[in-house]
Amino acid sequence: MKNIRTYEEINAKIESKKAVVLTADEIMDYVDKKGLDQAVKEVDIVTTATFGPMCSSGCFLNFGHSRPKIKITEAWINDVLVYSGIAAVDVYLGATQLRHNDPANMDYPGDFTYGGGHVIEDLVAGKELQLFALSYGTDDYPLRELRTYFTIDDLNQAIMVNPRNCYQNYNVAINCSEKPVYSYLGILKPDMKNLTYCSAGQLSPLLNDPFFETIGVGTRVWLAGAQGHVYAEGTQHTGVADRGDNGVPREGSGTLALTGDMKKMNKEFIRGVSLKGYGVSLAVGVGIPIPILNKEILKHTLVRDKDIYGPVIDYSYDYPQKTGKILCHLSYEQLRSGEVTVLGRKVAVSSLSSYTKALEAANLLMDEIKRGEFLLSRPLQRLPVDIKCKSMIIKEKTE
Amino acid sequence: MITKKLMLFFPKCEVEKPIVYHLIKDYNLKINLIRAKITPEEYGYLVMDITGKEEDIERGLEYVKGFDVNVNATYRGLRHNEEKCTDCGNCLSHCPSGALVVEDSKTRKIIFKPDKCIECLACIRACPFNACISIF
């Protein structure tokens, strides 16, 4: 399809504060009113967003060198283990890391009140944290132990590096067994008494760009208020998905690897998560602008909750045993109604993705663009459309 | 007939009188106990709805205030912290009494209705953001 505007033209309009921007929530009614042909002439950008737990999140921190120097080999921030198998005072803090001595599920179901995600939340909120670090000592890095207190302002770098965010679509979890299931999609009551979904649906970035026409490696994103970017396809990304007639995936599918400067983030959009009986995680708010380069791209942003379907999967058996069985598909419109029918039974609905916060993020991004403070970037590389997501095979050593 | 919600907090549980019995018997009140903990030598609480004639409720309250008890007619034992709440909606299928609801389908903001809360505490276990807390 022929493009009717370029990235350069859009950015020129942003810089002169004349860009026409709508959120993915607003664009649907706008096009209904104006018609596609008129709307595509007027609208430069549609902002999309999502907010929810994204377990594959974390950050690289650099502490600067102490006197005397230490080459950290083991370290804990607020008693949460960080990875230190990199340069002397660099560490990686992961969202799902438990706090030292957390009884986890030995006291089933565990509470998981504090972990990696909460440390990241505290960092962004500017709180004082404790670093405890050990080393074996070397000639050039003699210090073998230290305990100190710091805030994010004391660090040289605090760069969020999230290998998998913004799942294009997601499973809807239900429990067909007679016992409660404690999952990363919350507490699932026995006998299909409730279910949980986790997607911003019609507002979610990759559901508004189902074939990755504009969101690619190098795309500038709004990562919890900081201007970050997509640095790669996310882990487990696949472009080969079960798609509906409208091209929208009916399962997980695409993912994004995101990075951004934590010193510029808004604490409202970086929140530690405690999931009973499961563990800790981090909820992240992400906003992504979609440049309306042509009519086809605009058309994709018109997708509504009623046209997006998630697969309902039994988390008591089919999910853990990886049987591949799907009980049925439900639309996000059905899910948002609060009650759905599965296998002929009425089921109450929970959500782990906040539409409220996603809307806030989409609006904040829209405001930034309108103020001329957020420019769009052309992707350096398209996200893969043909790679599949492999399974792990447990096998004997190859002779 | 009116219904009042009431929270009685016993700093130290030395009250050995059957308070609920007397409220029913002597003051003609209907008591719906929401949550209670009475353990000798420890703090204790009673959270309840009392239904009856206004003057009977007044007299009943006077009777209760005669003990070493904090009477609170505004708060419940379950608090919803709006700053911590991200409006994800994970609580919705866990709250059995409609105290945590979405009223605006556009913004999907979570509203807490204290008068509907029966303090079953299911939301505390379900909330990933620790937004629902019990004051006891």
PDB file of all heavy atoms in Angstrom, chain B residues 68-103:
ATOM      1  N   ASP B  68     -14.143  -0.724  78.411  1.00  0.00           N
ATOM      2  CA  ASP B  68     -12.883  -0.165  77.899  1.00  0.00           C
ATOM      3  C   ASP B  68     -12.776  -0.522  76.414  1.00  0.00           C
ATOM      4  O   ASP B  68     -12.003  -1.375  76.015  1.00  0.00           O
ATOM      5  CB  ASP B  68     -11.718  -0.755  78.705  1.00  0.00           C
ATOM      6  CG  ASP B  68     -10.401  -0.148  78.268  1.00  0.00           C
ATOM      7  OD1 ASP B  68     -10.430   0.919  77.625  1.00  0.00           O
ATOM      8  OD2 ASP B  68      -9.348  -0.747  78.559  1.00  0.00           O
ATOM      9  N   VAL B  69     -13.607   0.167  75.622  1.00  0.00           N
ATOM     10  CA  VAL B  69     -13.754  -0.217  74.221  1.00  0.00           C
ATOM     11  C   VAL B  69     -13.725   1.034  73.343  1.00  0.00           C
ATOM     12  O   VAL B  69     -14.286   2.054  73.710  1.00  0.00           O
ATOM     13  CB  VAL B  69     -15.124  -0.932  74.023  1.00  0.00           C
ATOM     14  CG1 VAL B  69     -15.423  -1.121  72.557  1.00  0.00           C
ATOM     15  CG2 VAL B  69     -15.124  -2.258  74.729  1.00  0.00           C
ATOM     16  N   ASN B  70     -13.028   0.970  72.199  1.00  0.00           N
ATOM     17  CA  ASN B  70     -13.117   2.059  71.228  1.00  0.00           C
ATOM     18  C   ASN B  70     -14.256   1.745  70.264  1.00  0.00           C
ATOM     19  O   ASN B  70     -14.248   0.690  69.637  1.00  0.00           O
ATOM     20  CB  ASN B  70     -11.831   2.180  70.415  1.00  0.00           C
ATOM     21  CG  ASN B  70     -10.662   2.594  71.285  1.00  0.00           C
ATOM     22  OD1 ASN B  70     -10.835   3.308  72.267  1.00  0.00           O
ATOM     23  ND2 ASN B  70      -9.480   2.119  70.943  1.00  0.00           N
ATOM     24  N   VAL B  71     -15.205   2.657  70.199  1.00  0.00           N
ATOM     25  CA  VAL B  71     -16.328   2.440  69.286  1.00  0.00           C
ATOM     26  C   VAL B  71     -16.135   3.322  68.059  1.00  0.00           C
ATOM     27  O   VAL B  71     -15.949   4.520  68.179  1.00  0.00           O
ATOM     28  CB  VAL B  71     -17.666   2.787  69.965  1.00  0.00           C
ATOM     29  CG1 VAL B  71     -18.824   2.532  69.007  1.00  0.00           C
ATOM     30  CG2 VAL B  71     -17.832   1.981  71.236  1.00  0.00           C
ATOM     31  N   ASN B  72     -16.154   2.710  66.900  1.00  0.00           N
ATOM     32  CA  ASN B  72     -15.958   3.467  65.677  1.00  0.00           C
ATOM     33  C   ASN B  72     -17.095   3.163  64.715  1.00  0.00           C
ATOM     34  O   ASN B  72     -17.306   2.019  64.333  1.00  0.00           O
ATOM     35  CB  ASN B  72     -14.615   3.071  65.060  1.00  0.00           C
ATOM     36  CG  ASN B  72     -14.205   4.043  63.985  1.00  0.00           C
ATOM     37  OD1 ASN B  72     -15.050   4.543  63.257  1.00  0.00           O
ATOM     38  ND2 ASN B  72     -12.926   4.314  63.901  1.00  0.00           N
ATOM     39  N   ALA B  73     -17.828   4.183  64.381  1.00  0.00           N
ATOM     40  CA  ALA B  73     -19.001   3.957  63.538  1.00  0.00           C
ATOM     41  C   ALA B  73     -18.750   4.344  62.082  1.00  0.00           C
ATOM     42  O   ALA B  73     -19.669   4.351  61.290  1.00  0.00           O
ATOM     43  CB  ALA B  73     -20.179   4.737  64.087  1.00  0.00           C
ATOM     44  N   THR B  74     -17.515   4.688  61.746  1.00  0.00           N
ATOM     45  CA  THR B  74     -17.270   5.099  60.357  1.00  0.00           C
ATOM     46  C   THR B  74     -16.426   4.098  59.583  1.00  0.00           C
ATOM     47  O   THR B  74     -16.617   3.909  58.397  1.00  0.00           O
ATOM     48  CB  THR B  74     -16.580   6.471  60.291  1.00  0.00           C
ATOM     49  OG1 THR B  74     -15.571   6.515  61.297  1.00  0.00           O
ATOM     50  CG2 THR B  74     -17.554   7.593  60.485  1.00  0.00           C
ATOM     51  N   TYR B  75     -15.487   3.478  60.245  1.00  0.00           N
ATOM     52  CA  TYR B  75     -14.566   2.632  59.507  1.00  0.00           C
ATOM     53  C   TYR B  75     -14.904   1.154  59.613  1.00  0.00           C
ATOM     54  O   TYR B  75     -15.494   0.701  60.578  1.00  0.00           O
ATOM     55  CB  TYR B  75     -13.137   2.836  60.009  1.00  0.00           C
ATOM     56  CG  TYR B  75     -12.590   4.170  59.640  1.00  0.00           C
ATOM     57  CD1 TYR B  75     -12.225   5.073  60.629  1.00  0.00           C
ATOM     58  CD2 TYR B  75     -12.446   4.528  58.309  1.00  0.00           C
ATOM     59  CE1 TYR B  75     -11.719   6.313  60.289  1.00  0.00           C
ATOM     60  CE2 TYR B  75     -11.937   5.760  57.971  1.00  0.00           C
ATOM     61  CZ  TYR B  75     -11.579   6.648  58.969  1.00  0.00           C
ATOM     62  OH  TYR B  75     -11.079   7.867  58.627  1.00  0.00           O
ATOM     63  N   ARG B  76     -14.446   0.446  58.609  1.00  0.00           N
ATOM     64  CA  ARG B  76     -14.475  -1.004  58.648  1.00  0.00           C
ATOM     65  C   ARG B  76     -13.046  -1.498  58.818  1.00  0.00           C
ATOM     66  O   ARG B  76     -12.095  -0.733  58.729  1.00  0.00           O
ATOM     67  CB  ARG B  76     -15.060  -1.536  57.341  1.00  0.00           C
ATOM     68  CG  ARG B  76     -16.547  -1.285  57.222  1.00  0.00           C
ATOM     69  CD  ARG B  76     -17.305  -2.486  57.727  1.00  0.00           C
ATOM     70  NE  ARG B  76     -18.732  -2.198  57.785  1.00  0.00           N
ATOM     71  CZ  ARG B  76     -19.654  -3.126  57.626  1.00  0.00           C
ATOM     72  NH1 ARG B  76     -19.310  -4.360  57.369  1.00  0.00           N
ATOM     73  NH2 ARG B  76     -20.922  -2.828  57.723  1.00  0.00           N
ATOM     74  N   GLY B  77     -12.912  -2.791  59.006  1.00  0.00           N
ATOM     75  CA  GLY B  77     -11.579  -3.347  59.235  1.00  0.00           C
ATOM     76  C   GLY B  77     -10.807  -3.590  57.953  1.00  0.00           C
ATOM     77  O   GLY B  77      -9.658  -4.003  57.971  1.00  0.00           O
ATOM     78  N   LEU B  78     -11.466  -3.361  56.816  1.00  0.00           N
ATOM     79  CA  LEU B  78     -10.813  -3.597  55.523  1.00  0.00           C
ATOM     80  C   LEU B  78     -10.637  -2.259  54.821  1.00  0.00           C
ATOM     81  O   LEU B  78     -11.597  -1.500  54.667  1.00  0.00           O
ATOM     82  CB  LEU B  78     -11.692  -4.541  54.693  1.00  0.00           C
ATOM     83  CG  LEU B  78     -11.127  -5.245  53.450  1.00  0.00           C
ATOM     84  CD1 LEU B  78     -10.955  -4.328  52.272  1.00  0.00           C
ATOM     85  CD2 LEU B  78      -9.839  -5.986  53.745  1.00  0.00           C
ATOM     86  N   ARG B  79      -9.407  -1.977  54.426  1.00  0.00           N
ATOM     87  CA  ARG B  79      -9.145  -0.707  53.753  1.00  0.00           C
ATOM     88  C   ARG B  79      -8.674  -0.966  52.326  1.00  0.00           C
ATOM     89  O   ARG B  79      -7.954  -1.926  52.069  1.00  0.00           O
ATOM     90  CB  ARG B  79      -8.035   0.058  54.490  1.00  0.00           C
ATOM     91  CG  ARG B  79      -8.356   0.360  55.926  1.00  0.00           C
ATOM     92  CD  ARG B  79      -9.287   1.552  56.040  1.00  0.00           C
ATOM     93  NE  ARG B  79      -9.772   1.688  57.408  1.00  0.00           N
ATOM     94  CZ  ARG B  79      -9.108   2.286  58.383  1.00  0.00           C
ATOM     95  NH1 ARG B  79      -7.923   2.807  58.139  1.00  0.00           N
ATOM     96  NH2 ARG B  79      -9.599   2.359  59.590  1.00  0.00           N
ATOM     97  N   HIS B  80      -9.093  -0.072  51.452  1.00  0.00           N
ATOM     98  CA  HIS B  80      -8.652  -0.142  50.062  1.00  0.00           C
ATOM     99  C   HIS B  80      -7.771   1.074  49.818  1.00  0.00           C
ATOM    100  O   HIS B  80      -8.228   2.214  49.879  1.00  0.00           O
ATOM    101  CB  HIS B  80      -9.870  -0.128  49.128  1.00  0.00           C
ATOM    102  CG  HIS B  80      -9.505  -0.089  47.677  1.00  0.00           C
ATOM    103  ND1 HIS B  80      -9.761   1.003  46.886  1.00  0.00           N
ATOM    104  CD2 HIS B  80      -8.898  -1.000  46.896  1.00  0.00           C
ATOM    105  CE1 HIS B  80      -9.332   0.752  45.656  1.00  0.00           C
ATOM    106  NE2 HIS B  80      -8.805  -0.444  45.635  1.00  0.00           N
ATOM    107  N   ASN B  81      -6.485   0.829  49.545  1.00  0.00           N
ATOM    108  CA  ASN B  81      -5.522   1.906  49.352  1.00  0.00           C
ATOM    109  C   ASN B  81      -5.483   2.295  47.869  1.00  0.00           C
ATOM    110  O   ASN B  81      -4.937   1.578  47.032  1.00  0.00           O
ATOM    111  CB  ASN B  81      -4.145   1.422  49.829  1.00  0.00           C
ATOM    112  CG  ASN B  81      -3.089   2.504  49.741  1.00  0.00           C
ATOM    113  OD1 ASN B  81      -3.191   3.434  48.947  1.00  0.00           O
ATOM    114  ND2 ASN B  81      -2.058   2.375  50.562  1.00  0.00           N
ATOM    115  N   GLU B  82      -6.084   3.451  47.572  1.00  0.00           N
ATOM    116  CA  GLU B  82      -6.205   3.852  46.158  1.00  0.00           C
ATOM    117  C   GLU B  82      -4.867   4.136  45.498  1.00  0.00           C
ATOM    118  O   GLU B  82      -4.728   4.004  44.287  1.00  0.00           O
ATOM    119  CB  GLU B  82      -7.113   5.075  46.043  1.00  0.00           C
ATOM    120  CG  GLU B  82      -8.576   4.693  46.126  1.00  0.00           C
ATOM    121  CD  GLU B  82      -9.500   5.824  45.739  1.00  0.00           C
ATOM    122  OE1 GLU B  82      -9.084   6.706  44.978  1.00  0.00           O
ATOM    123  OE2 GLU B  82     -10.650   5.803  46.213  1.00  0.00           O
ATOM    124  N   GLU B  83      -3.881   4.542  46.312  1.00  0.00           N
ATOM    125  CA  GLU B  83      -2.563   4.803  45.728  1.00  0.00           C
ATOM    126  C   GLU B  83      -1.887   3.524  45.271  1.00  0.00           C
ATOM    127  O   GLU B  83      -1.173   3.505  44.275  1.00  0.00           O
ATOM    128  CB  GLU B  83      -1.676   5.538  46.733  1.00  0.00           C
ATOM    129  CG  GLU B  83      -1.863   7.036  46.668  1.00  0.00           C
ATOM    130  CD  GLU B  83      -1.027   7.767  47.673  1.00  0.00           C
ATOM    131  OE1 GLU B  83       0.082   7.297  47.990  1.00  0.00           O
ATOM    132  OE2 GLU B  83      -1.504   8.808  48.152  1.00  0.00           O
ATOM    133  N   LYS B  84      -2.103   2.459  46.022  1.00  0.00           N
ATOM    134  CA  LYS B  84      -1.474   1.192  45.642  1.00  0.00           C
ATOM    135  C   LYS B  84      -2.269   0.472  44.556  1.00  0.00           C
ATOM    136  O   LYS B  84      -1.732  -0.323  43.802  1.00  0.00           O
ATOM    137  CB  LYS B  84      -1.338   0.293  46.869  1.00  0.00           C
ATOM    138  CG  LYS B  84      -0.222   0.748  47.792  1.00  0.00           C
ATOM    139  CD  LYS B  84       0.122  -0.335  48.783  1.00  0.00           C
ATOM    140  CE  LYS B  84       1.420  -0.010  49.492  1.00  0.00           C
ATOM    141  NZ  LYS B  84       1.794  -1.060  50.433  1.00  0.00           N
ATOM    142  N   CYS B  85      -3.577   0.722  44.516  1.00  0.00           N
ATOM    143  CA  CYS B  85      -4.433   0.037  43.542  1.00  0.00           C
ATOM    144  C   CYS B  85      -4.072   0.499  42.126  1.00  0.00           C
ATOM    145  O   CYS B  85      -3.990   1.691  41.858  1.00  0.00           O
ATOM    146  CB  CYS B  85      -5.894   0.343  43.836  1.00  0.00           C
ATOM    147  SG  CYS B  85      -7.026  -0.413  42.663  1.00  0.00           S
ATOM    148  N   THR B  86      -3.875  -0.467  41.216  1.00  0.00           N
ATOM    149  CA  THR B  86      -3.579  -0.102  39.827  1.00  0.00           C
ATOM    150  C   THR B  86      -4.819  -0.283  38.941  1.00  0.00           C
ATOM    151  O   THR B  86      -4.729  -0.178  37.731  1.00  0.00           O
ATOM    152  CB  THR B  86      -2.430  -0.946  39.240  1.00  0.00           C
ATOM    153  OG1 THR B  86      -2.875  -2.300  39.131  1.00  0.00           O
ATOM    154  CG2 THR B  86      -1.185  -0.899  40.113  1.00  0.00           C
ATOM    155  N   ASP B  87      -5.940  -0.623  39.559  1.00  0.00           N
ATOM    156  CA  ASP B  87      -7.187  -0.846  38.814  1.00  0.00           C
ATOM    157  C   ASP B  87      -7.078  -2.011  37.830  1.00  0.00           C
ATOM    158  O   ASP B  87      -7.684  -1.969  36.754  1.00  0.00           O
ATOM    159  CB  ASP B  87      -7.608   0.433  38.065  1.00  0.00           C
ATOM    160  CG  ASP B  87      -7.769   1.612  39.009  1.00  0.00           C
ATOM    161  OD1 ASP B  87      -8.720   1.596  39.802  1.00  0.00           O
ATOM    162  OD2 ASP B  87      -6.925   2.527  38.977  1.00  0.00           O
ATOM    163  N   CYS B  88      -6.310  -3.025  38.184  1.00  0.00           N
ATOM    164  CA  CYS B  88      -6.168  -4.152  37.253  1.00  0.00           C
ATOM    165  C   CYS B  88      -7.457  -4.974  37.196  1.00  0.00           C
ATOM    166  O   CYS B  88      -7.806  -5.500  36.152  1.00  0.00           O
ATOM    167  CB  CYS B  88      -4.969  -5.030  37.612  1.00  0.00           C
ATOM    168  SG  CYS B  88      -5.098  -5.938  39.170  1.00  0.00           S
ATOM    169  N   GLY B  89      -8.121  -5.089  38.340  1.00  0.00           N
ATOM    170  CA  GLY B  89      -9.372  -5.841  38.352  1.00  0.00           C
ATOM    171  C   GLY B  89      -9.223  -7.298  38.727  1.00  0.00           C
ATOM    172  O   GLY B  89     -10.135  -8.101  38.540  1.00  0.00           O
ATOM    173  N   ASN B  90      -8.080  -7.645  39.322  1.00  0.00           N
ATOM    174  CA  ASN B  90      -7.926  -9.038  39.739  1.00  0.00           C
ATOM    175  C   ASN B  90      -8.852  -9.369  40.905  1.00  0.00           C
ATOM    176  O   ASN B  90      -9.251 -10.508  41.092  1.00  0.00           O
ATOM    177  CB  ASN B  90      -6.461  -9.315  40.127  1.00  0.00           C
ATOM    178  CG  ASN B  90      -6.206 -10.784  40.340  1.00  0.00           C
ATOM    179  OD1 ASN B  90      -6.692 -11.615  39.585  1.00  0.00           O
ATOM    180  ND2 ASN B  90      -5.475 -11.123  41.385  1.00  0.00           N
ATOM    181  N   CYS B  91      -9.230  -8.362  41.684  1.00  0.00           N
ATOM    182  CA  CYS B  91     -10.100  -8.594  42.844  1.00  0.00           C
ATOM    183  C   CYS B  91     -11.535  -8.929  42.447  1.00  0.00           C
ATOM    184  O   CYS B  91     -12.281  -9.533  43.218  1.00  0.00           O
ATOM    185  CB  CYS B  91     -10.098  -7.357  43.731  1.00  0.00           C
ATOM    186  SG  CYS B  91     -10.434  -5.820  42.834  1.00  0.00           S
ATOM    187  N   LEU B  92     -11.933  -8.525  41.234  1.00  0.00           N
ATOM    188  CA  LEU B  92     -13.357  -8.561  40.878  1.00  0.00           C
ATOM    189  C   LEU B  92     -14.019  -9.924  41.057  1.00  0.00           C
ATOM    190  O   LEU B  92     -15.122 -10.015  41.579  1.00  0.00           O
ATOM    191  CB  LEU B  92     -13.552  -8.073  39.432  1.00  0.00           C
ATOM    192  CG  LEU B  92     -13.221  -6.592  39.204  1.00  0.00           C
ATOM    193  CD1 LEU B  92     -13.303  -6.256  37.727  1.00  0.00           C
ATOM    194  CD2 LEU B  92     -14.147  -5.701  40.000  1.00  0.00           C
ATOM    195  N   SER B  93     -13.340 -10.988  40.636  1.00  0.00           N
ATOM    196  CA  SER B  93     -13.990 -12.307  40.744  1.00  0.00           C
ATOM    197  C   SER B  93     -13.813 -12.909  42.127  1.00  0.00           C
ATOM    198  O   SER B  93     -14.353 -13.970  42.421  1.00  0.00           O
ATOM    199  CB  SER B  93     -13.438 -13.262  39.681  1.00  0.00           C
ATOM    200  OG  SER B  93     -12.130 -13.681  40.015  1.00  0.00           O
ATOM    201  N   HIS B  94     -13.052 -12.235  42.986  1.00  0.00           N
ATOM    202  CA  HIS B  94     -12.830 -12.765  44.335  1.00  0.00           C
ATOM    203  C   HIS B  94     -13.738 -12.118  45.369  1.00  0.00           C
ATOM    204  O   HIS B  94     -13.984 -12.680  46.422  1.00  0.00           O
ATOM    205  CB  HIS B  94     -11.357 -12.580  44.726  1.00  0.00           C
ATOM    206  CG  HIS B  94     -10.432 -13.409  43.880  1.00  0.00           C
ATOM    207  ND1 HIS B  94     -10.162 -14.734  44.143  1.00  0.00           N
ATOM    208  CD2 HIS B  94      -9.758 -13.117  42.746  1.00  0.00           C
ATOM    209  CE1 HIS B  94      -9.346 -15.212  43.221  1.00  0.00           C
ATOM    210  NE2 HIS B  94      -9.090 -14.242  42.347  1.00  0.00           N
ATOM    211  N   CYS B  95     -14.214 -10.911  45.079  1.00  0.00           N
ATOM    212  CA  CYS B  95     -15.088 -10.213  46.027  1.00  0.00           C
ATOM    213  C   CYS B  95     -16.513 -10.743  45.872  1.00  0.00           C
ATOM    214  O   CYS B  95     -17.133 -10.566  44.827  1.00  0.00           O
ATOM    215  CB  CYS B  95     -15.063  -8.707  45.769  1.00  0.00           C
ATOM    216  SG  CYS B  95     -16.180  -7.796  46.842  1.00  0.00           S
ATOM    217  N   PRO B  96     -17.049 -11.389  46.916  1.00  0.00           N
ATOM    218  CA  PRO B  96     -18.354 -12.039  46.764  1.00  0.00           C
ATOM    219  C   PRO B  96     -19.541 -11.104  46.971  1.00  0.00           C
ATOM    220  O   PRO B  96     -20.672 -11.459  46.663  1.00  0.00           O
ATOM    221  CB  PRO B  96     -18.334 -13.106  47.868  1.00  0.00           C
ATOM    222  CG  PRO B  96     -17.454 -12.530  48.926  1.00  0.00           C
ATOM    223  CD  PRO B  96     -16.442 -11.641  48.237  1.00  0.00           C
ATOM    224  N   SER B  97     -19.278  -9.885  47.493  1.00  0.00           N
ATOM    225  CA  SER B  97     -20.415  -9.052  47.884  1.00  0.00           C
ATOM    226  C   SER B  97     -20.551  -7.791  47.043  1.00  0.00           C
ATOM    227  O   SER B  97     -21.355  -6.922  47.368  1.00  0.00           O
ATOM    228  CB  SER B  97     -20.271  -8.671  49.363  1.00  0.00           C
ATOM    229  OG  SER B  97     -19.071  -7.948  49.555  1.00  0.00           O
ATOM    230  N   GLY B  98     -19.743  -7.684  45.997  1.00  0.00           N
ATOM    231  CA  GLY B  98     -19.858  -6.500  45.137  1.00  0.00           C
ATOM    232  C   GLY B  98     -19.315  -5.242  45.786  1.00  0.00           C
ATOM    233  O   GLY B  98     -19.716  -4.138  45.442  1.00  0.00           O
ATOM    234  N   ALA B  99     -18.370  -5.400  46.721  1.00  0.00           N
ATOM    235  CA  ALA B  99     -17.770  -4.220  47.354  1.00  0.00           C
ATOM    236  C   ALA B  99     -16.661  -3.635  46.486  1.00  0.00           C
ATOM    237  O   ALA B  99     -16.339  -2.462  46.606  1.00  0.00           O
ATOM    238  CB  ALA B  99     -17.219  -4.581  48.730  1.00  0.00           C
ATOM    239  N   LEU B 100     -16.068  -4.459  45.647  1.00  0.00           N
ATOM    240  CA  LEU B 100     -15.053  -3.983  44.702  1.00  0.00           C
ATOM    241  C   LEU B 100     -15.633  -4.160  43.307  1.00  0.00           C
ATOM    242  O   LEU B 100     -15.900  -5.293  42.874  1.00  0.00           O
ATOM    243  CB  LEU B 100     -13.758  -4.789  44.860  1.00  0.00           C
ATOM    244  CG  LEU B 100     -12.971  -4.488  46.141  1.00  0.00           C
ATOM    245  CD1 LEU B 100     -12.102  -5.667  46.539  1.00  0.00           C
ATOM    246  CD2 LEU B 100     -12.125  -3.232  45.980  1.00  0.00           C
ATOM    247  N   VAL B 101     -15.891  -3.042  42.649  1.00  0.00           N
ATOM    248  CA  VAL B 101     -16.600  -3.093  41.366  1.00  0.00           C
ATOM    249  C   VAL B 101     -16.041  -2.094  40.357  1.00  0.00           C
ATOM    250  O   VAL B 101     -15.353  -1.148  40.724  1.00  0.00           O
ATOM    251  CB  VAL B 101     -18.114  -2.780  41.551  1.00  0.00           C
ATOM    252  CG1 VAL B 101     -18.840  -3.933  42.187  1.00  0.00           C
ATOM    253  CG2 VAL B 101     -18.306  -1.495  42.348  1.00  0.00           C
ATOM    254  N   VAL B 102     -16.362  -2.343  39.089  1.00  0.00           N
ATOM    255  CA  VAL B 102     -16.094  -1.374  38.030  1.00  0.00           C
ATOM    256  C   VAL B 102     -17.425  -0.707  37.699  1.00  0.00           C
ATOM    257  O   VAL B 102     -18.400  -1.391  37.402  1.00  0.00           O
ATOM    258  CB  VAL B 102     -15.539  -2.075  36.768  1.00  0.00           C
ATOM    259  CG1 VAL B 102     -15.528  -1.116  35.586  1.00  0.00           C
ATOM    260  CG2 VAL B 102     -14.138  -2.596  37.025  1.00  0.00           C
ATOM    261  N   GLU B 103     -17.488   0.612  37.803  1.00  0.00           N
ATOM    262  CA  GLU B 103     -18.751   1.293  37.494  1.00  0.00           C
ATOM    263  C   GLU B 103     -18.702   1.989  36.141  1.00  0.00           C
ATOM    264  O   GLU B 103     -19.705   2.065  35.453  1.00  0.00           O
ATOM    265  CB  GLU B 103     -19.082   2.299  38.599  1.00  0.00           C
ATOM    266  CG  GLU B 103     -19.525   1.573  39.870  1.00  0.00           C
ATOM    267  CD  GLU B 103     -20.154   2.490  40.881  1.00  0.00           C
ATOM    268  OE1 GLU B 103     -19.771   3.669  40.929  1.00  0.00           O
ATOM    269  OE2 GLU B 103     -21.018   2.018  41.638  1.00  0.00           O
TER     270      GLU B 103
END
